[in-house]
Amino acid sequence: ATTPILSNLHLMATNTIELMKIRNEQASSQDDETACEGALLESAERHKKGVVPEVGSVLKKRVSLVHGIGLVAGVIIGSGIFFTPSEIFKDTGSAGLSLVVWVAAGIISLGGALCYCELGASIPETGGEYVYLYRAYGPLPAFLLVWSTSLLTRPASQAIVSLAFARYLVQPFFSEGCNPSVLILKLVAIAGVLIIGMVNAASVKVAVYTQNILLFTKILALLAIVLMGVYWAVHNELQSLSEGFQGSKSSPSDIGLAFYNALWTYEGWSGLFHILNRQTGTLTDG
């Protein structure tokens, strides 16, 4: 008589446990649904207020302060610095006016960089100009900025830099007076863009170290050019500088084009704010 009673008690206990599990699962499911509904309502409310979701916070922080400085310097010191000085000199017509353009463009770029530092410290979110325009003017201007940058301005800028890189890379293999064909330059430029894209897609660390190596080589190349310029100026008794503003152009279109080339050469100081949430520290530290 004892065995059936124990069996019944065991069966009741098992059923009770199973029932409790089912109820817990249902309660958990209801909690999840409630949490999802709450998250959706919160997201909708944030969207109405014009608050940009901090989607960049899920990215791993792999960029240190030194790497960030190297990134900005590497973006600013691009291929453009090696061919825009001659274009600016052609547009201005004199060494004095070209130096004025370089200094003025540098001051304007410095002001923009300082403004971005303030924005980055106030809004420490990944996205750069997109986040700032979204916060200030709403989603439409921010979308138009991303659209124009992705389809127009950035591809055109990268095409110019890539073609300049291809020309400097290929030219030593051709004799003097013999220029490489346009097809060869385009193929080399496309290969360079693909390689850089694959490096950045592979790993953040690999991309940062590659950027630092390229920055070091570009600085060495610039130092070599500066030393050759100083040597040439000393042995020619500073003839170009002694002429000053002689032969300067006064056309607004020429001066404007010279400013555009100089500002484009300085471009890149905003690059760090596109990966702000990937830095190991913040702009407000210290």
Side-chain angles (χ1 to χ4, degrees):
T2 307
T3 303
I5 296 174
L6 293 176
S7 299
N8 291 333
L9 290 175
H10 181 268
L11 181 60
M12 292 175 60
T14 303
N15 292 336
T16 303
I17 293 173
E18 292 295 332
L19 181 60
M20 292 176 63
K21 288 182 179 180
I22 293 173
R23 289 180 176 178
N24 289 334
E25 290 177 356
Q26 292 177 347
S28 178
S29 177
Q30 291 177 356
D31 291 340
D32 291 341
E33 291 178 358
T34 304
C36 289
E37 291 176 359
L40 290 174
L41 291 175
E42 182 181 357
S43 177
E45 189 66 26
R46 287 168 59 87
H47 183 75
K48 289 180 181 179
K49 294 180 180 180
V51 179
V52 181
E54 297 183 5
V55 295
S57 60
V58 300
L59 299 175
K60 294 182 179 180
K61 298 180 181 294
R62 296 285 183 85
V63 181
S64 65
L65 175 62
V66 176
H67 291 158
I69 295 174
L71 173 66
V72 174
V75 173
I76 294 177
I77 307 176
S79 301
I81 190 61
F82 295 102
F83 67 86
T84 51
S86 60
E87 297 296 325
I88 293 175
F89 187 84
K90 291 178 183 178
D91 295 330
T92 56
S94 66
L97 186 56
S98 64
L99 290 177
V100 171
V101 169
W102 277 112
V103 172
I107 293 174
I108 294 173
S109 299
L110 178 61
L114 293 176
C115 291
Y116 263 65
C117 288
E118 182 65 27
L119 287 171
S122 303
I123 311 174
E125 298 178 14
T126 296
E129 298 93 341
Y130 171 80
V131 175
Y132 309 143
L133 284 180
Y134 197 112
R135 289 291 188 91
Y137 305 108
L140 181 59
F143 168 77
L144 292 177
L145 170 73
V146 174
W147 176 81
S148 61
T149 302
S150 302
L151 297 181
L152 299 176
T153 57
R154 189 64 64 183
S157 177
Q158 292 302 317
I160 296 173
V161 172
S162 302
L163 288 173
F165 160 77
R167 179 174 293 278
Y168 287 120
L169 183 65
V170 173
Q171 190 63 51
F173 298 97
F174 290 82
S175 59
E176 186 176 357
C178 181
N179 295 322
S181 64
V182 177
L183 179 60
I184 294 177
L185 293 179
K186 289 182 178 180
L187 291 176
V188 174
I190 292 172
V193 171
L194 290 176
I195 292 173
I196 294 298
M198 288 188 293
V199 168
N200 282 273
S203 171
V204 175
K205 284 188 176 182
V206 174
V208 168
Y209 284 122
T210 303
Q211 178 70 55
N212 292 339
I213 294 173
L214 294 176
L215 172 63
F216 182 72
T217 57
K218 286 185 285 188
I219 290 177
L220 289 181
L222 285 176
L223 288 176
I225 293 174
V226 170
L227 292 177
M228 286 192 299
V230 172
Y231 175 83
W232 182 264
V234 171
H235 284 74
N236 286 272
E237 299 179 356
L238 303 177
Q239 181 178 357
S240 297
L241 294 179
S242 63
E243 294 175 355
F245 292 87
Q246 184 179 354
S248 298
K249 296 181 180 180
S250 57
S251 172
S253 60
D254 291 331
I255 303 301
L257 186 59
F259 264 100
Y260 177 82
N261 286 325
L263 290 172
W264 180 72
T265 305
Y266 284 122
E267 182 190 18
W269 37 265
S270 62
L272 186 62
F273 298 93
H274 293 279
I275 57 168
L276 202 59
N277 280 2
R278 306 211 73 170
Q279 297 178 79
T280 54
T282 63
L283 292 177
T284 56
D285 287 346

